[in-house]
Amino acid sequence: MNKIFCCFMAVLIVLGSFSPVQAEKSSAKNGESKEYKYESEWLEGLKEQKNHQAAMSYQEYAAFLGNLFGIETREVIQTIQDVSGQQINLNKVIKQKEAKEISDRLLPSQLENEFNQHQESDKPVKRSDVLSMSASFIEAYYDKKGKYEGEEVQGNAWINHSNVTLSQSTINGDLVITSGKNIVLEEITVTGTVYIDHSIQNDVLTIDSELNDVRVFDASKENSDWSLVWADEFISNQIDRDKWDYDIGNWIIDEEGEPVAPGWGNNELEYYTDSSENSYTEDGKLVIKAQKEEEPIEGEYGTYDYTSAKLKTKGLFSKKYGKFEAKMKLPEGQGYWPAFWMMPEDDVYGSWPVSGEIDIMEAAGGDPTKVGGTIHYGEEYPNNTYTGTEYHFPEGEDITGFHTYSVEWEPGEIRWYVDGNLYQTLNDWFSKGTNKADKFAYPAPFDQEFYMILNLAVGGWYGGNPDETTEFPGEMEVDYVRVYELTGRDYQEPVEPVVEDEELPEDAKQPLENGNLIYDQTYEKPITIVDQPEKSLDPLYWNFVKLPNFEGQGTLTTTEVDGERFAKTTIENPGNALWSLQQIQKVAILKGHTYEVTFDAKSNTNRNLMTKVSGGAERGYASYSGEKTFQLSDSVQSYNYSFTLNQDTDLGARLEFNMGSNGTAPVWIGNVRVEDVTGQQEETTSKTPLSDGNRIYNGTFDQGDMTRLNYWELISQNGASAEVSVSEETREAKIEPLDKGDDPEDLIFKQTGLQLQEGQEYEFTFNARADKERSLEVDFVSQDGAESYSSEMIDLSKEMKSHTVTFQMPDTITDLESQLLFKLGGQSEVVYLDDVRLVQTSNSVELQPLKNGDFANGMEAWSPYIHFDAQANVSTIDEELKVDIENAGNEAWSVLVEQPGLSLSKDITYTLSFKAKSSIPRNIEVTIENASYYRYFSEVVSLTEDMQTYEFDWDMTADDTASLKFLMGQLAESHEISIDDVSLEVK
C-alpha cells in the first residue's frame, strides 16, 4: 500500500497510535501547508489546525526530531546545545540554518540534502515546513510494534520503534531505521539503501531479503574524508554469498588444480569448510568457529583434526587504495591464529609475494595482548621479505574484546590503526619479478586491486600449534567489515623512497681492517653453544645452534683441512628442519648496501648446504639474501653469493649455515668472509639475456624508477625533438614528436647492450600503435652504428597490434653490445610501444639441453632438495645417482633431485629417457616445470628392484627455462633409489 507519514511537535498534537493508510497529496502554494486525505481521526484534526504557519521554538523542534528519530527529546536538546556551543533559550524561535545543522547531526550524510530541506537562512522554521519536509521524503512510517505484511511502498520508509517486523514487502526507495530493538526484515526487497543507526546495528535481522545496499551510520562521526563504498553488517540470517566466497581444504592449489603446499603454506593444521558449523551469522555478527573434531576430517590430500573457515571477497569485490576496516573480537588460546588481510585480485607482478600481501590484523591466541600489521613483498619465495610491527593493547584490554582494526591505503603509503589509534606507517617496499631486469616501478606491488580475507587458523608459524591448554571451540566474531573511498581530498602522490647512505654507528660491530665483517675467521675463539631458546647468540663470534624443538643433534669442532683451520659439524641426528643445526655469526649491515658472502666448504660425500643472511627473531627471521643452496662434495670448493639489503639497516643480522634435515654427512666450513662491495660491482653495458631468453630489458615499461623508462633512451638530433612518457594505467611507452625533423633517424628510441651471437637466428616482437596511421623503422645495428644486422619498415594503425621481425646474425660476427633502434623522425604522429621482446628462435634450439645425465661428473648440474619433514642423503656412486631415503616426508616434493636451467623451445618434441630402480617397489613422479611450477610434462613412474629404462615423448608448448625434477617423497619406509643415463633431447 502507499503510505504517508505525518509527524508533528508535542505542543501541537499528541502523537497517538495509528496505522499508515493510503493517502493522496495535493500541491501547496505560497507557503500553505499541503492538504491530505486521511482515514485517521487525529490526522483529520491536524488538518483543521489554523496555526500551521506559526514559527517553531527550539523546544518544539527538539520534540519533532525526538519523535521522528525515536529518541528522547533531551538527547536532541543536548545536540542543540552542542551545535550552538552555549546554553540556548528553548522557547526562542529556531532559524532555518540552525535547524539544518541540528538535523544534519542526526542524519546519515547521504540523506542530508535529500531529507533536510531547511535553507541556509535566518528565516524562522514554520510548523508547515517540518510537516511538508517529512511528508515529501517519507512514504511509509512505522512507529508502532507489530507485523506489517504485503506492503508495497513507492518511496522511502522509516522505522523508529521496537518489535517491528516487515514481511513479504517491497520498498521502492530507501529504508531508514533510527531506533528500536528486535526489528526483522523478512522477505523484504529494498531497491534503495538501508540506513541503520550504529547504536542498533545488531538489533536488526534480515531473513531471505534482497537489500540493495546496507549502510550503518553514526551521524555524529560522519565528518570524514572517507566515504563508505562497500560493507557487510552481517544483519542477514545467513552469510551473503554475493559478498563472500570460501577457501576449502588445507592445501594451496595452483591454477592447474595441482596441490602446491599443505597447511596453506603456513604449516596450518585446520581443514577449511563452508559448513554452517564453522561460519554463520548470529545477533548481527559473523562467527567463524574453529573446532576440534571427534573424528578426523577426510580431505583429498590427508586427514585433519581441526576445522574452521576462511572467507574471501575474491572475484566479488576488490579495490585499489582506500580504507579497509573491521570490528571484531578474537579467541584467546594457544594455537589460534585469527586474521583480517588482503591479497591481490590478480597476480599482476608474479607469484607470492611479488604481487604483495597486506595483513591488516593478525593475532596469536597464545598472547592476546597484541596484534600485528604487516606487508609482504620482494621477490618470489624463498627470496621474499616483509615489514611490520605490533600493536600492544592498553592495560586491561586484549583481543578478546571488540576492537576496530583498519588500514588506510594511499599510493605510496599504508597506515595501520587499532580503535582509531595509528601505530604504524609504511612507505618503503619493492617488487621484483622472475625474468625481469629490474624491480617494478614504485609503488608496485601495492598499486593494484586487492580483495579481503577473514579466517581463523589453527596452528601455523605465527603462534605455534595448540596444546593441552587450548580450549575448543574458538570463535572469531566480526561485527562488520567496511570499505571506504577517499573523497574529502585527493589521494596523495606516491614518492619513491630514497635510500639515505648510512654509516655503521660506533657501537655497532665494525668490519675488520681487511674489510671482513666476520670475526674469528680461523676459529681461535670459543664457539658458543645455543641449545635452549632462552640462550642468546654471541654478538661477535661464532655460534652453534641446535634448539631442542627441531631435534637436531651434533657437535661443532675445529680441525685442519689442507693446512687451514675449518669448523667441522658432525651430525648425529639431522632433525626436522634445515635450521635444526646451524653455524651462525652476527653481522651489522646497512640498508641499500650490497654484500658479498664467500666461504670454502666440503663434506665426505655429495650433500647440499643452505646458507643465507637473515634477520633475527625481532625481524621475524626475514631473509635478506634469499636462501642459497650449494652442492658440497668430498673436496674443498669455494662458494659465493651477493645480495643487496632492501630492508632497514640491521645491526644484528645473521649469517647462517643451515645443516639440518639433510642426512648425517658432516660439513666442514672455513675462510668465511662477508664484505661490503657497494659500488664495486663490475660495470658493463652488455646485457645478459634474462632467464626466459629475452634480451630486451624492461620491454613492458613497468620497471625501474617511477618513469618506467629504465634501459631506454630517446635521442633527438638535427633540430628534432620529442617527449617520451609511460602512464601508470597503460604501462605503454608514449613517444610524442614535438618537432618531427626531416629523416627517420632524427628521432630514435633505443636500447643498447644487446647480446647477439654469430650465426644465430632471432625473433623480435613488439606491440605498437599510433594516434594516426604512420610507419616506423626498426633497426638492429652494431655498437658504433656502423653495421646494420636488420632493418625493416613497420606500418602502424590506431589499433594496438603485434609485429614480428626475424633476422640472422652473420656467421662471423658476435656482438655483445648491439643496439635496437626505433626510428621515429620525419612523421608527427604519436607512437605507443609495449611488450618488446628479442629471443633466439627455434632454429637455434639446443638439441641436448640436459648436462651430465650419466653422472660422470658427480652431481655437477644437479641439485637435491630435502624438505624438513624428510631425511635422505643424495650422492653419486660409480657414476650413478643414489638417493638414500630414511623417511621420504609427507609431500611428493619432500625429496627431490632436479636439473634446473634447461632452455626449451616451443613446438619442439622432446624425448626424455632414464634408468631407475628402487630397493622397494614404489612410484615416483617425474616433471618438467618452470619457476612458477607450471608443468609442461608430468608422469608417475613405477619403480621395481630391477633397473629399468623409461622413455617419454612430449611437446613443449612455450619457450621457457625449466627444470627436470625427480620427486621421490611420500614414503615412510627406508629405501634407496638409483637413477642413471638421464637424457633429454630433441626428437
Side-chain angles (χ1 to χ4, degrees):
M1 294 187 299
N2 293 324
K3 303 292 186 320
I4 190 73
F5 159 79
C6 183
C7 175
F8 214 81
M9 64 299 300
V11 296
L12 181 62
I13 59 172
V14 176
L15 287 176
S17 61
F18 80 103
S19 298
V21 294
Q22 280 193 333
E24 297 177 359
K25 303 178 186 177
S26 61
S27 61
K29 298 180 180 180
N30 301 321
E32 296 179 359
S33 63
K34 291 183 178 180
E35 295 185 6
Y36 304 90
K37 179 181 178 181
Y38 296 105
E39 299 175 8
S40 169
E41 291 184 5
W42 73 267
L43 289 173
E44 286 291 341
L46 177 61
K47 173 184 173 184
E48 297 173 359
Q49 292 289 330
K50 303 299 184 181
N51 57 352
H52 288 182
Q53 300 303 311
M56 295 185 71
S57 69
Y58 282 98
Q59 180 70 48
E60 290 174 327
Y61 192 69
F64 160 70
L65 292 179
N67 282 306
L68 177 63
F69 285 90
I71 58 178
E72 296 289 338
T73 303
R74 56 183 174 79
E75 294 182 38
V76 183
I77 292 173
Q78 183 59 54
T79 300
I80 293 173
Q81 305 288 9
D82 293 342
V83 168
S84 64
Q86 59 183 349
Q87 287 293 115
I88 292 292
N89 183 348
L90 297 178
N91 293 319
K92 287 180 59 178
V93 170
I94 187 170
K95 298 177 180 178
Q96 288 270 349
K97 62 182 180 182
E98 296 164 337
K100 180 175 180 60
E101 187 174 358
I102 293 165
S103 297
D104 285 350
R105 290 289 186 100
L106 300 175
L107 287 164
S109 57
Q110 297 88 341
L111 297 182
E112 288 175 3
N113 292 329
E114 186 178 355
F115 174 82
N116 193 352
Q117 299 170 13
H118 295 305
Q119 306 299 311
E120 291 284 352
S121 74
D122 289 330
K123 292 182 179 179
V125 176
K126 298 179 181 179
R127 295 167 179 170
S128 59
D129 293 336
V130 296
L131 181 61
S132 176
M133 182 174 69
S134 302
S136 65
F137 179 81
I138 304 172
E139 190 72 16
Y141 181 61
Y142 303 95
D143 73 333
K144 282 193 64 178
K145 71 177 182 179
K147 184 173 183 179
Y148 302 86
E149 191 170 3
E151 307 278 275
E152 185 74 28
V153 180
Q154 300 300 327
N156 303 319
W158 193 293
I159 300 174
N160 73 354
H161 203 279
S162 297
N163 301 311
V164 171
T165 297
L166 295 184
S167 178
Q168 298 178 354
S169 300
T170 298
I171 299 172
N172 290 304
D174 296 334
L175 171 61
V176 184
I177 307 175
T178 60
S179 60
K181 295 185 180 298
N182 189 29
I183 297 169
V184 180
L185 309 178
E186 182 178 12
E187 297 183 49
I188 294 297
T189 298
V190 179
T191 62
T193 300
V194 179
Y195 296 97
I196 304 173
D197 188 275
H198 72 103
S199 64
I200 61 165
Q201 61 179 315
N202 295 323
D203 295 303
V204 179
L205 173 66
T206 70
I207 301 174
D208 300 332
S209 293
E210 296 183 13
L211 308 182
N212 178 52
D213 191 13
V214 177
R215 303 292 177 96
V216 171
F217 70 94
D218 183 352
S220 65
K221 296 182 178 179
E222 286 202 344
N223 293 324
S224 169
D225 290 337
W226 301 98
S227 296
L228 190 70
V229 294
W230 185 97
D232 197 339
E233 307 294 339
F234 303 111
I235 64 173
S236 173
N237 65 323
Q238 57 189 0
I239 293 170
D240 189 344
R241 295 304 298 268
D242 290 331
K243 292 183 176 180
W244 299 99
D245 196 6
Y246 285 85
D247 272 334
I248 306 295
N250 180 265
W251 281 71
I252 295 175
I253 306 297
D254 66 17
E255 294 180 356
E256 305 300 317
E258 296 295 328
V260 175
W264 299 101
N266 299 316
N267 204 37
E268 298 172 33
L269 303 178
E270 80 291 327
Y271 186 92
Y272 285 131
T273 82
D274 60 359
S275 166
S276 59
E277 294 292 319
N278 295 116
S279 61
Y280 52 89
T281 57
E282 184 177 69
D283 297 330
K285 303 177 187 67
L286 167 69
V287 180
I288 300 178
K289 180 184 289 187
Q291 301 187 121
K292 187 173 183 178
E293 300 296 328
E294 293 183 3
E295 297 291 335
I297 298 296
E298 289 283 345
E300 186 175 359
Y301 305 107
T303 59
Y304 308 92
D305 294 326
Y306 306 94
T307 59
S308 187
K310 180 181 181 184
L311 286 74
K312 61 184 181 180
T313 64
K314 182 175 177 60
L316 302 172
F317 175 80
S318 61
K319 192 178 185 311
K320 179 174 73 172
Y321 308 133
K323 181 177 181 179
F324 302 79
E325 178 178 272
K327 183 178 180 181
M328 62 185 76
K329 62 185 295 187
L330 310 173
E332 180 180 3
Q334 174 60 35
Y336 288 126
W337 182 4
F340 172 37
W341 50 302
M342 301 173 70
M343 289 289 284
E345 181 70 24
D346 299 301
D347 287 335
V348 173
Y349 297 114
S351 300
W352 186 87
V354 179
S355 294
E357 174 183 330
I358 302 173
D359 297 331
I360 302 173
M361 182 286 304
E362 56 186 341
D367 184 356
T369 65
K370 62 185 180 181
V371 295
T374 307
I375 53 173
H376 296 261
Y377 56 95
E379 300 183 56
E380 282 190 15
Y381 176 85
N383 299 323
N384 55 299
T385 190
Y386 60 88
T387 305
T389 193
E390 295 173 336
Y391 173 85
H392 294 263
F393 288 96
E395 186 174 352
E397 297 182 17
D398 61 25
I399 64 172
T400 62
F402 274 104
H403 296 280
T404 303
Y405 305 98
S406 62
V407 293
E408 294 177 354
W409 171 25
E410 297 195 58
E413 184 169 289
I414 307 175
R415 301 179 293 272
W416 279 257
Y417 297 82
V418 175
D419 296 331
N421 299 309
L422 174 66
Y423 74 95
Q424 177 178 222
T425 300
L426 295 179
N427 49 32
D428 192 355
W429 53 72
F430 73 97
S431 173
K432 176 78 184 307
T434 305
N435 302 326
K436 303 300 180 184
D438 205 343
K439 65 181 179 61
F440 292 106
Y442 187 80
F446 301 113
D447 60 355
Q448 302 294 322
E449 290 191 351
F450 278 59
Y451 65 92
M452 296 178 291
I453 305 168
L454 291 166
N455 70 288
L456 175 55
V458 179
W461 304 123
Y462 193 74
N465 292 339
D467 58 22
E468 65 279 359
T469 69
T470 309
E471 295 184 5
F472 285 94
E475 294 184 355
M476 173 180 178
E477 296 184 41
V478 185
D479 195 7
Y480 61 77
V481 178
R482 298 172 186 165
V483 181
Y484 302 83
E485 181 66 276
L486 184 56
T487 55
R489 59 174 175 83
D490 292 335
Y491 280 109
Q492 66 184 29
E493 292 293 325
V495 178
E496 188 159 13
V498 176
V499 178
E500 301 288 345
D501 193 21
E502 301 180 53
E503 292 184 0
L504 289 173
E506 292 183 0
D507 58 350
K509 183 180 178 182
Q510 301 292 326
L512 301 173
E513 289 185 3
N514 63 3
N516 193 3
L517 298 177
I518 295 297
Y519 289 8
D520 192 26
Q521 188 183 46
T522 55
Y523 302 105
E524 296 175 357
K525 301 285 187 180
I527 295 172
T528 300
I529 308 298
V530 179
D531 55 6
Q532 295 298 325
E534 63 272 10
K535 190 168 183 179
S536 300
L537 296 176
D538 185 285
L540 298 178
Y541 301 110
W542 287 109
N543 299 269
F544 183 54
V545 181
K546 47 178 182 178
L547 297 177
N549 284 352
F550 307 112
E551 302 175 1
Q553 291 295 323
T555 57
L556 189 150
T557 58
T558 58
T559 185
E560 295 287 327
V561 178
D562 298 334
E564 296 185 350
R565 198 172 181 87
F566 274 57
K568 177 185 178 182
T569 300
T570 302
I571 300 172
E572 300 166 13
N573 182 347
N576 57 26
L578 288 171
W579 49 89
S580 295
L581 296 165
Q582 298 174 295
Q583 181 179 329
I584 295 177
Q585 186 170 146
K586 287 195 169 187
V587 291
I589 53 179
L590 298 170
K591 182 177 182 178
H593 284 227
T594 300
Y595 296 89
E596 183 178 38
V597 180
T598 60
F599 62 96
D600 295 339
K602 61 164 283 189
S603 181
N604 61 4
T605 184
N606 292 320
R607 68 154 290 162
N608 61 322
L609 169 70
M610 190 273 276
T611 175
K612 64 178 178 179
V613 178
S614 69
E618 69 285 354
R619 296 288 186 97
Y621 303 103
S623 178
Y624 300 145
S625 64
E627 296 180 357
K628 310 297 180 181
T629 301
F630 297 98
Q631 179 68 35
L632 308 185
S633 66
D634 58 3
S635 61
V636 174
Q637 297 183 55
S638 295
Y639 304 90
N640 70 86
Y641 59 93
S642 299
F643 70 95
T644 299
L645 180 61
N646 291 304
Q647 290 209 47
D648 290 338
T649 290
D650 190 346
L651 303 182
R654 303 145 47 108
L655 170 65
E656 302 180 8
F657 294 101
N658 295 278
M659 297 166 285
S661 187
N662 190 31
T664 58
V667 176
W668 286 262
I669 296 173
N671 296 319
V672 184
R673 295 184 63 84
V674 177
E675 298 176 88
D676 189 337
V677 295
T678 305
Q680 299 177 23
Q681 297 90 333
E682 182 181 353
E683 293 290 335
T684 178
T685 57
S686 181
K687 295 179 172 66
T688 303
L690 301 172
S691 57
D692 64 350
N694 189 11
R695 283 153 168 76
I696 302 295
Y697 284 14
N698 190 27
T700 47
F701 303 104
D702 55 4
Q703 299 157 50
D705 61 31
M706 291 178 66
T707 68
R708 300 180 174 84
L709 284 166
N710 288 36
Y711 308 106
W712 294 94
E713 184 179 3
L714 180 64
I715 302 296
S716 302
Q717 53 193 4
N718 301 324
S721 63
E723 291 181 348
V724 59
S725 61
V726 178
S727 76
E728 180 184 358
E729 291 75 24
T730 64
R731 311 289 173 100
E732 300 170 346
K734 174 185 177 183
I735 303 102
E736 182 176 6
L738 303 178
D739 187 327
K740 61 185 176 64
D742 298 324
D743 299 310
E745 57 266 21
D746 288 344
L747 293 174
I748 297 176
F749 188 53
K750 71 175 185 176
Q751 187 167 139
T752 61
L754 310 183
Q755 296 187 2
L756 301 177
Q757 303 287 335
E758 61 183 57
Q760 297 299 317
E761 184 177 278
Y762 294 91
E763 181 179 84
F764 175 65
T765 59
F766 65 97
N767 294 340
R769 63 184 175 94
D771 59 355
K772 294 181 180 179
E773 291 186 358
R774 62 159 291 167
S775 61
L776 63 80
E777 186 177 339
V778 178
D779 287 2
F780 286 91
V781 300
S782 61
Q783 180 183 12
D784 59 7
E787 185 162 1
S788 175
Y789 307 129
S790 172
S791 180
E792 190 155 340
M793 193 67 69
I794 304 294
D795 292 327
L796 305 183
S797 68
K798 297 174 68 174
E799 180 183 355
M800 183 67 84
K801 293 182 179 180
S802 177
H803 303 273
T804 301
V805 175
T806 58
F807 65 95
Q808 186 166 358
M809 286 291 288
D811 291 337
T812 58
I813 297 178
T814 290
D815 189 342
L816 301 182
E817 297 195 40
S818 66
Q819 302 183 72
L820 161 64
L821 309 179
F822 288 104
K823 295 182 177 180
L824 304 164
Q827 300 176 68
S828 59
E829 291 78 17
V830 178
V831 172
Y832 301 85
L833 299 172
D834 200 3
D835 296 327
V836 187
R837 290 180 57 84
L838 175 66
V839 297
Q840 288 186 10
T841 67
S842 58
N843 288 344
S844 52
V845 170
E846 193 170 1
L847 299 179
Q848 296 178 321
L850 188 133
K851 311 300 180 188
N852 190 32
D854 58 3
F855 302 99
N857 295 319
M859 290 292 294
E860 180 179 312
W862 294 91
S863 298
Y865 173 77
I866 313 298
H867 197 49
F868 70 81
D869 62 356
Q871 294 183 14
N873 185 57
V874 180
S875 62
T876 57
I877 300 175
D878 297 330
E879 299 185 2
E880 190 174 88
L881 178 69
K882 300 289 186 181
V883 185
D884 187 3
I885 301 174
E886 184 175 339
N887 180 351
N890 299 318
E891 319 305 337
W893 41 264
S894 290
V895 177
L896 70 82
V897 174
E898 68 174 318
Q899 183 165 144
L902 304 177
S903 182
L904 306 178
S905 299
K906 183 179 181 181
D907 298 329
I908 298 297
T909 299
Y910 289 89
T911 298
L912 171 67
S913 65
F914 59 91
K915 295 177 180 178
K917 67 177 182 178
S918 172
S919 60
I920 61 174
R922 64 153 299 170
N923 292 339
I924 67 170
E925 194 170 0
V926 184
T927 69
I928 290 180
E929 55 191 61
N930 64 14
S932 298
Y933 306 105
Y934 178 80
R935 293 183 173 181
Y936 297 105
F937 169 84
S938 178
E939 288 287 344
V940 175
V941 176
S942 298
L943 304 185
T944 68
E945 297 179 11
D946 299 322
M947 185 71 85
Q948 298 184 62
T949 299
Y950 303 87
E951 183 173 301
F952 305 94
D953 292 340
W954 56 281
D955 296 326
M956 189 66 182
T957 57
D959 293 322
D960 206 347
T961 300
S963 297
L964 168 63
K965 297 182 180 181
F966 293 94
L967 307 175
M968 297 169 282
Q970 286 186 321
L971 195 69
E973 188 174 348
S974 177
H975 62 290
E976 183 182 75
I977 293 176
S978 301
I979 299 174
D980 201 4
D981 295 335
V982 186
S983 172
L984 178 64
E985 57 186 32
V986 175
K987 184 175 180 180

